[in-house]
Amino acid sequence: MLLGILFGLVNLAVAETGLNGWLRYARLPSAETLHSELPVHVLVLNSTETSPVYTAGSEVAQGIGSIFGKKCSVGYSSGYIPPDNATVIVGTIKQYASSGGLINGIPELEADGFWLNISGSEVQILGQNERGTLYGAFEYLSLLAQGNTSQIAYASNPDAPIRWINQWDNLQGGGTHGSVERGYGGPSIFFENGTVKSNLTRAAQYARLLASIGINAVVVNNVNANESMLTAPIMDGLKRIADVFRPYGVQLGISLYFASPQALGELDTFDPLDGAVIEWWHNRTDQIYKRIPDFAGYLVKANSEGQPGPLTYNRTLAEGANLFARALQPYGGVVMFRAFVYDSQNLNESYWKDDRANAAVQFFNGLDGQFEDNVVIQVKYGPIDFQVREPTSPLFAHLQQTSSAIELEITQEYLGQQCHLVYLPPLWKTVLDFDMRVDSQPSLVRGIVSGQRFNRTLGGYAGVANVGTNQTWLGSHLAMSNLYAFGRLAWNPRLDPASILQDWIRLTFNSDPTVLDTITSMSMESWPTYENYTGNLGIQTLTDILYAHYGPNPASQDNNPWGQWTRADANSIGMDRTVWNGTGFAGQYPPQVAVMYENISTTPDDLLLWFHHVPYTQHLQSGQTVIQHFYDAHYAGAANAQTFPSRWATLKSKIDDQRYEEVLFRLTYQAGHSIVWRDAINNFYFNLSNVPDQAGRVENHPYRIEAESMDLSGYTPYTVSPWNVASGGVAVVTTSNTTVGTASTTLSSITSGTYDVAVNYFDMAIGRSHWQVYLNDQLIGQWIGDSDLTLGHSPSNYIDGHSATRITFPGIQIQKGDVLKIAGTPDGIEPAPLDYISILPEGVVD
Ligand code: GCV
């Protein structure tokens, strides 16, 4: 069956590509019966074609036509509202009042807020501003598309003014397109050949999707920025992007390269206090605003991971941020200044007290209150870097006279790169709902970033999305729930992740109860499942941090200056971040939180190894030991991932074929890769600690046959690095680039019956090898190693945890004594690597 999926994808009848995301406006099954409750006309108040109000009117008419098959006309009024039944009135509150509309009873709205009043076929959508009107229109359509035509009247206001998307797009690097750093949905939709694309259709479609979830700005280029962003041709191109964004109320921002004046050869310094540098930035900012009057502002990564910044000149981070802030002030622009500042070269693990997690609070120490009012400090949710679990960044508690925004990573860099299903809002909520207890008072992170807790007027949310030209935007249909939920939470962080998800499912697929229940349960289980088979108890995602950030490589965390250390040795594991004996990080929190993390007994199990260095035999609050928890969690996580494909399969015929097959392909891959993860981590810690698994599972695989122990011809054993990503540490590779290798075995100790035959192999990015499986010389399956292309995760050129994968041929009849043979044909320098086969009785996973 899987073979059919692998080869059948291209032949499926064209169905839905995912391009419309959650804005499909699919015809409702109950459409006809609802016709009488629907408007027939949209009246748009005072607007020009580039205004979001105009867009709102067209969207409503188009949506009603598409969802209900009912024609809805659009009219435009410049000052008078004709009496008319069955009409949707669309405009700003101000336009409505000046057209004679009665606004008594409508609550005061905040910037970008809206009033939505649905009374049968009479509907008012009134925004505080033009953008708010469009948000109201999308809210109305979201209700309709979910079959909700109830009478309602309410005002909705965003929790925070900053609701920005960051794209890490490069001007070049993805063939003719720009590449996207940590992007898994293809190359840039904004850049090609070192400049802005001529065709910006996708940019406009993106703005439409984002407007529908309340996003009001996009920073279009990588925080590792290029100075040429500020050259005239690129600024002209940026103007074109801003022009296609504008009808959707989405403003454009850019990331800056701090040393631009020098890098462009125009000055010999970039010292932020130098008069010529100050003038240079003012001048460039003027040039941008001449082209883009509603330009949102700058995003700045400074003195981090090799980027220049104010510290290069011994200036403070505040002096650096204020340089840009002052240039933007005349225009109302904002500087998003990143708190991700650390020294990645000089951290030394042999010093017990060195700790990258301390960096942000240390670098910003004493600067609170020194930033201009239009500076917002953009803080990653945790102190390291978007790991599967981190404590909340303590910096949020230190910025009381400075606005802050939380940076969330929608693109799943350390969380499976869109090849593993991970619905992120439950993770995000652990941070947004975290109470910092500043001055022993309630201080939820969401209250801090919205500005409410410390009375700031700016602040909010930055989501690193990194969509690409792939029709699914993020590379995976199910990953789009994360983008959708980011916008919804930025608007209202009190929402429940499951209920946001269900809106998304109804809009993206349909309201069938099986569809709703299946996708909800899988998605809500997905983060704990992934955490279970990757990195537990706050040890971080145990991925390869020196290469692709994708597959397992626990050893890569330590013995380098990057500071994502685990300090695992033969007896113990974890970072001691206590004040009394460790790096002191726990003391960066306000006292009530600090005391909780300082003590092992009050530290939650899921962050134990983040804060404490303990023996593997340390008992958790759950009663289990650390090491046994590792083993059990990895088995539980991988076991749950095995259920995803069959649960998804219950949706066949309930959703369109294309999306059904594409999702099934990814979930099947995830099930296989989760076993690679499980074994790599368990083997690594078993080998290190020598503590056996109480359940006897680790390094005990009764259903496996190692390739290196089969009869080999044209294949030769190969020692894999890291050893733990291959079963037994060894794979086989062809003896040359042109030799077909075979590995055969006689199944003499098997009971005749029906089995699933799983084959673990390595799909590197350097070739398209071809494998065939024979039973007694009869072909039972074959595949080409090109899933690295289809999947879009960071490619690997090596035999490692990123390329390790599994394919399963279910329901194979095997007789005792049958001969199983794998033939591997290399391609280029990819030597058809093979790890092992498993002959699995029904229901067994190994
Ligand atoms: C854009 C991590 C990522 C980098 C990213 C950086 C950042 O280190 O791996 O790709 O750079 O964070 O957020 O600046």
Side-chain angles (χ1 to χ4, degrees):
M1 190 181 81
L2 189 64
L3 189 66
I5 294 163
L6 290 173
F7 286 124
L9 278 179
V10 283
N11 294 325
L12 287 168
V14 175
E16 296 208 36
T17 62
L19 188 64
N20 291 324
W22 50 87
L23 293 180
R24 293 163 57 244
Y25 299 154
R27 182 69 50 90
L28 276 182
S30 53
E32 310 262 298
T33 58
L34 295 170
H35 271 202
S36 58
E37 294 167 44
L38 295 168
V40 293
H41 190 64
V42 181
L43 181 65
V44 180
L45 305 180
N46 276 348
S47 77
T48 59
E49 275 189 37
T50 55
S51 142
V53 175
Y54 185 94
T55 313
S58 333
E59 285 286 336
V60 169
Q62 186 204 328
I64 289 176
S66 174
I67 299 166
F68 298 97
K70 174 162 174 164
K71 193 165 163 29
C72 187
S73 59
V74 191
Y76 303 88
S77 153
S78 55
Y80 166 67
I81 305 178
D84 196 1
N85 292 329
T87 295
V88 186
I89 295 177
V90 175
T92 62
I93 287 272
K94 219 164 140 198
Q95 289 161 344
Y96 184 65
S98 63
S99 307
L102 292 178
I103 56 168
N104 293 351
I106 300 180
E108 186 95 10
L109 297 173
E110 291 164 28
D112 292 355
F114 61 85
W115 166 253
L116 179 59
N117 184 356
I118 307 173
S119 175
S121 58
E122 304 286 303
V123 180
Q124 289 172 328
I125 303 174
L126 303 176
Q128 188 274 346
N129 53 20
E130 297 202 334
R131 189 152 62 195
T133 312
L134 180 59
Y135 296 155
F138 277 121
E139 175 115 336
Y140 175 50
L141 288 165
S142 169
L143 294 171
L144 293 182
Q146 295 181 64
N148 184 347
T149 54
S150 7
Q151 305 228 347
I152 46 165
Y154 60 82
S156 180
N157 292 301
D159 213 57
I162 302 284
R163 302 180 308 279
W164 290 22
I165 285 291
N166 292 179
Q167 285 280 140
W168 289 351
D169 294 31
N170 298 314
L171 294 170
Q172 278 164 326
T176 55
H177 291 80
S179 59
V180 181
E181 181 158 346
R182 314 299 176 193
Y184 314 106
S188 177
I189 60 169
F190 298 117
F191 304 111
E192 66 189 358
N193 296 322
T195 189
V196 173
K197 289 181 80 154
S198 46
N199 182 342
L200 290 172
T201 309
R202 290 293 298 270
Q205 290 167 335
Y206 192 33
R208 175 172 176 256
L209 272 179
L210 296 179
S212 75
I213 48 171
I215 298 298
N216 53 10
V218 178
V219 174
V220 292
N221 66 309
N222 194 348
V223 285
N224 294 326
N226 190 306
E227 64 277 8
S228 46
M229 289 300 286
L230 294 169
T231 57
I234 305 263
M235 288 193 290
D236 290 344
L238 293 172
K239 174 194 180 320
R240 289 192 295 105
I241 302 179
D243 289 345
V244 304
F245 279 0
R246 195 164 294 112
Y248 298 98
V250 175
Q251 292 173 258
L252 178 135
I254 61 170
S255 299
L256 291 183
Y257 182 58
F258 201 94
S260 293
Q262 191 187 65
L264 288 169
E266 298 181 20
L267 296 179
D268 57 10
T269 174
F270 58 92
D271 178 354
L273 298 193
D274 183 286
V277 172
I278 295 169
E279 195 186 326
W280 191 93
W281 282 108
H282 276 261
N283 184 282
R284 281 304 147 116
T285 305
D286 294 344
Q287 291 180 32
I288 289 188
Y289 276 94
K290 256 190 211 115
R291 294 169 169 90
I292 309 172
D294 55 356
F295 181 71
Y298 297 134
L299 171 62
V300 186
K301 173 177 178 178
N303 294 114
S304 170
E305 301 186 334
Q307 294 293 319
L311 304 180
T312 317
Y313 289 90
N314 283 328
R315 309 302 186 194
T316 69
L317 296 176
E319 286 167 332
N322 291 342
L323 166 70
F324 309 115
R326 291 181 188 130
L328 289 162
Q329 268 160 6
Y331 305 102
V334 170
V335 180
M336 303 294 290
F337 196 82
R338 290 178 97 220
F340 187 64
V341 179
Y342 73 105
D343 183 348
S344 53
Q345 295 316 311
N346 295 307
L347 290 164
N348 186 342
E349 197 171 355
S350 59
Y351 297 121
W352 189 250
K353 289 181 186 287
D354 254 13
D355 189 359
R356 169 171 162 188
N358 282 337
V361 168
Q362 283 172 351
F363 275 108
F364 283 80
N365 183 27
L367 297 182
D368 189 28
Q370 293 191 21
F371 293 91
E372 294 285 339
D373 277 347
N374 59 332
V375 175
V376 177
I377 306 301
Q378 182 169 313
V379 187
K380 289 190 182 187
Y381 64 75
I384 296 277
D385 194 11
F386 301 130
Q387 298 300 298
V388 70
R389 191 179 292 266
E390 292 189 47
T392 302
S393 170
L395 186 60
F396 290 113
H398 294 255
L399 299 172
Q400 303 183 10
Q401 298 170 64
T402 308
S403 301
S404 59
I406 187 167
E407 183 175 315
L408 302 171
E409 201 180 35
I410 296 158
T411 188
Q412 296 169 228
E413 176 180 356
Y414 291 93
L415 288 113
Q417 304 192 349
Q418 279 98 283
C419 301
H420 291 234
L421 170 64
V422 183
Y423 179 57
L424 297 164
L427 184 170
W428 295 340
K429 284 288 264 187
T430 63
V431 176
L432 293 173
D433 293 347
F434 187 78
D435 189 349
M436 286 287 190
R437 306 296 303 163
V438 177
D439 299 330
S440 305
Q441 298 299 311
S443 310
L444 302 189
V445 170
R446 61 175 146 86
I448 295 174
V449 298
S450 69
Q452 286 148 17
R453 174 65 179 90
F454 300 123
N455 291 321
R456 307 295 314 160
T457 48
L458 278 176
Y461 296 78
V464 182
N466 293 356
V467 303
T469 53
N470 191 305
Q471 297 268 303
T472 62
W473 297 97
L474 284 168
S476 145
H477 298 290
L478 294 188
M480 287 292 275
S481 58
N482 290 322
L483 180 56
Y484 177 82
F486 170 78
R488 296 285 309 276
L489 282 172
W491 187 274
N492 180 1
R494 282 164 296 281
L495 291 177
D496 168 35
S499 97
I500 299 174
L501 177 68
Q502 297 210 323
D503 286 346
W504 175 80
I505 296 168
R506 282 186 285 261
L507 296 169
T508 302
F509 295 105
N510 55 54
S511 300
D512 180 291
T514 313
V515 171
L516 213 52
D517 290 353
T518 305
I519 303 179
T520 303
S521 63
M522 282 170 37
S523 301
M524 292 304 290
E525 290 163 26
S526 62
W527 171 49
T529 296
Y530 184 81
E531 181 181 36
N532 273 344
Y533 64 73
T534 58
N536 323 123
L537 306 176
I539 198 65
Q540 308 170 91
T541 316
L542 292 168
T543 186
D544 188 336
I545 65 153
L546 301 176
Y547 188 38
H549 295 189
Y550 179 61
N553 187 358
S556 72
Q557 316 287 123
D558 292 281
N559 303 313
N560 58 55
W562 289 98
Q564 293 188 213
W565 306 322
T566 69
R567 293 193 182 279
D569 60 23
N571 304 307
S572 48
I573 183 169
M575 284 290 290
D576 185 342
R577 292 188 159 112
T578 60
V579 175
W580 80 273
N581 187 47
T583 71
F585 170 78
Q588 291 189 344
Y589 291 92
Q592 290 183 352
V593 176
V595 77
M596 170 179 75
Y597 289 141
E598 184 73 11
N599 295 300
I600 291 188
S601 61
T602 50
T603 302
D605 281 352
D606 54 26
L607 284 172
L608 180 74
L609 302 180
W610 180 278
F611 284 102
H612 301 281
H613 185 77
V614 297
Y616 290 107
T617 49
Q618 171 82 29
H619 282 273
L620 304 170
Q621 290 171 21
S622 71
Q624 197 50 275
T625 62
V626 165
I627 189 73
Q628 192 57 42
H629 178 95
F630 266 39
Y631 298 148
D632 291 348
H634 279 79
Y635 270 90
N640 202 40
Q642 306 312 303
T643 68
F644 287 175
S646 54
R647 286 157 77 181
W648 180 259
T650 62
L651 308 188
K652 188 166 174 63
S653 80
K654 291 183 183 294
I655 59 177
D656 56 283
D657 285 352
Q658 180 166 348
R659 292 186 299 167
Y660 170 81
E661 296 292 356
E662 287 173 357
V663 171
L664 183 61
F665 176 72
R666 273 168 198 269
L667 295 174
T668 305
Y669 165 81
Q670 177 181 2
H673 201 226
S674 72
I675 290 175
V676 174
W677 264 103
R678 178 196 74 187
D679 293 347
I681 306 302
N682 281 346
N683 292 349
F684 180 82
Y685 288 106
F686 174 44
N687 185 269
L688 200 57
S689 70
N690 239 331
V691 181
D693 168 26
Q694 286 162 8
R697 298 157 298 188
V698 176
E699 292 209 334
N700 178 18
H701 303 288
Y703 302 96
R704 281 187 194 175
I705 304 169
E706 297 293 339
E708 62 274 19
S709 66
M710 293 166 77
D711 295 330
L712 302 180
S713 162
Y715 260 137
T716 185
Y718 175 87
T719 304
V720 173
S721 174
W723 62 270
N724 44 290
V725 302
S727 192
V730 177
V732 300
V733 296
T734 55
T735 51
S736 84
N737 292 350
T738 50
T739 310
V740 176
T742 60
S744 330
T745 187
T746 303
L747 304 171
S748 45
S749 51
I750 207 163
T751 311
S752 301
T754 306
Y755 294 87
D756 292 348
V757 176
V759 183
N760 277 60
Y761 66 105
F762 297 87
D763 190 352
M764 303 148 80
I766 52 173
R768 309 279 153 245
S769 302
H770 178 203
W771 290 261
Q772 290 162 312
V773 188
Y774 295 90
L775 193 63
N776 300 330
D777 289 331
Q778 202 181 339
L779 186 67
I780 58 166
Q782 59 180 324
W783 72 98
I784 294 172
D786 61 359
S787 65
D788 58 300
L789 278 184
T790 330
L791 288 162
H793 62 73
S794 294
S796 170
N797 292 338
Y798 306 101
I799 296 176
D800 58 17
H802 318 296
S803 58
T805 184
R806 162 179 286 209
I807 188 167
T808 304
F809 301 97
I812 306 291
Q813 295 288 336
I814 300 179
Q815 305 298 319
K816 188 179 169 82
D818 281 353
V819 175
L820 191 89
K821 181 175 82 182
I822 315 267
T825 308
D827 179 56
I829 52 170
E830 185 182 62
L834 189 63
D835 188 2
Y836 64 91
I837 56 170
S838 297
I839 311 290
L840 301 166
E842 201 190 337
V844 171
V845 178
D846 188 26

